[in-house]
Structure formats: structure tokens, C-alpha cells
Amino acid sequence: MLYRYEHSVRVAENGRMIAIAENLPVTDTVVACLLHDVGYRECGDDWRIHPQVSADIAAEYLARIGYDPDMAKEIVQGIGRHNLTDTLPEDMSVFQTTIRDSDDIDRFDIIRIAMAMGSSVHEKTNVEIIESCQKQIDIARWYMRLPRGTKTAKDMMDKELTQRIELLEQIIAQAKKGFE
């Protein structure tokens, strides 16, 4: 779970930068981002349920420490929605979307690029490497088209995704040299 903690700290830093640039409540954004994956350990093998489990744990925690009830509700709803992609509820606020965006930015940073590269190239033929990298490029381009809550989040996400695509294209180019 150390990875999950470190991920949450990076997400909180992304959220802090967005909040400052977009005039969102910085402390509340950081708290929400730190708590966004707090339920991961409780989910066992079914990671898909972690947003709701995390939201439930966050709700209990925020109530216990006497957090502002209106902001706690906003934080909990954002945590419960942080894994949504292209179909966002109409009532999803910029604050809630910032939690999701901050998480997505970390999903595509240089650390995750390294993780993806390992699975994309390890012990694979050139053809398999090209196919795997192209699939990763397609995913990155899909993520680039997703709506973002703020211009700052879009700019940060596009930077990470562009870096990933460029690296994958370099890997594909090198793998294609094996056919020359």
C-alpha cells in the first residue's frame, strides 16, 4: 500500500497546483485528493469499487473530525466519482472534477509511463511491442479527448499524455527498425 500512499500524495500535489491556478479551495482540494483512494485496501481484488468504498470511509472520517458538512459532502461526492471518464454527471462540480483530473494526471505521469513501458515491451517480439505501444497511444489519445474541469487540469494532462505518446512513438520507431 506504500505505492497507493505515494500516489495519493502526488494526486494531492496535482490538486494543489490546480486549486491555486483556478482559485479553488486549496486545503479542501488537497484533503479530497489525499482521501480519494483511502478505501483501496478494503476492496481486495475488485479495485473497481474503490471510489465508493473510499467515499464511505472519507464521509465517516470527515464527520468524525467535524469537517464543514457542506464541504465534506462535496469532497465525498467527488471521491465517489473520481474514476468516471467520458460520461460525467451534469451536476459534477469543477471541484469534484478536479479530484478526478488530479488522479488522471498522476496516472499518466513519468512514473506510470515507466510502469506501462515494462508491460509493453518486456519479453515481446517487435510486432508485439508495436501492437502494445499502439494500444497505449490509442488510450492516451482517448484520455486527451475527455472533458476536464479546468484549463489548468487540461494543460497538465495534455503535457503528460503528449510525453507518453512521444515516448511510445519512439519505441515503435525502434521496433520497426527490426523489419528493415
Side-chain angles (χ1 to χ4, degrees):
M1 294 312 298
L2 182 57
Y3 170 80
R4 190 63 41 200
Y5 165 76
E6 292 170 343
H7 161 70
S8 294
V9 170
R10 290 190 305 269
V11 171
E13 177 57 19
N14 293 336
R16 186 187 71 78
M17 292 187 316
I18 294 168
I20 290 169
E22 299 290 340
N23 201 28
L24 295 170
V26 177
T27 299
D28 297 326
T29 303
V30 170
V31 167
C33 290
L34 285 171
L35 294 174
H36 85 283
D37 275 352
V38 73
Y40 225 93
R41 189 184 72 168
E42 308 302 320
C43 297
D45 292 333
D46 192 2
W47 63 268
R48 291 174 302 230
I49 65 170
H50 86 275
Q52 191 54 55
V53 173
S54 295
D56 292 345
I57 292 169
E60 183 179 326
Y61 172 72
L62 294 170
R64 191 176 305 160
I65 65 169
Y67 212 86
D68 173 80
D70 292 333
M71 183 49 72
K73 182 179 179 184
E74 184 76 356
I75 289 170
V76 168
Q77 194 164 31
I79 291 171
R81 294 172 163 183
H82 83 267
N83 262 30
L84 299 178
T85 54
D86 54 340
T87 307
L88 303 180
E90 288 184 25
D91 68 339
M92 192 165 178
S93 68
V94 171
F95 178 86
Q96 292 173 20
T97 307
T98 297
I99 301 165
R100 188 276 312 249
D101 292 345
S102 299
D103 186 36
D104 279 354
I105 292 163
D106 187 65
R107 280 190 194 132
F108 289 94
D109 73 355
I110 196 72
I111 292 170
R112 293 279 184 107
I113 290 173
M115 292 167 69
M117 293 309 97
S119 64
S120 294
V121 300
H122 184 70
E123 296 293 325
K124 293 186 177 182
T125 67
N126 285 353
V127 169
E128 291 169 329
I129 289 169
I130 292 166
E131 289 172 359
S132 181
C133 288
Q134 188 57 57
K135 181 178 178 182
Q136 290 296 319
I137 288 171
D138 293 343
I139 291 168
R141 288 191 174 132
W142 181 77
Y143 266 90
M144 281 183 121
R145 293 189 300 268
L146 294 180
R148 298 289 157 201
T150 63
K151 180 182 181 325
T152 302
K154 177 157 180 39
D155 291 347
M156 290 171 69
M157 187 70 178
D158 286 354
K159 178 183 173 248
E160 299 298 340
L161 290 168
T162 298
Q163 185 177 16
R164 178 178 279 222
I165 290 167
E166 288 170 354
L167 180 57
L168 289 162
E169 287 173 340
Q170 291 174 7
I171 293 169
I172 288 171
Q174 184 172 344
K176 285 182 177 178
K177 286 183 181 180
F179 299 124
E180 295 174 353

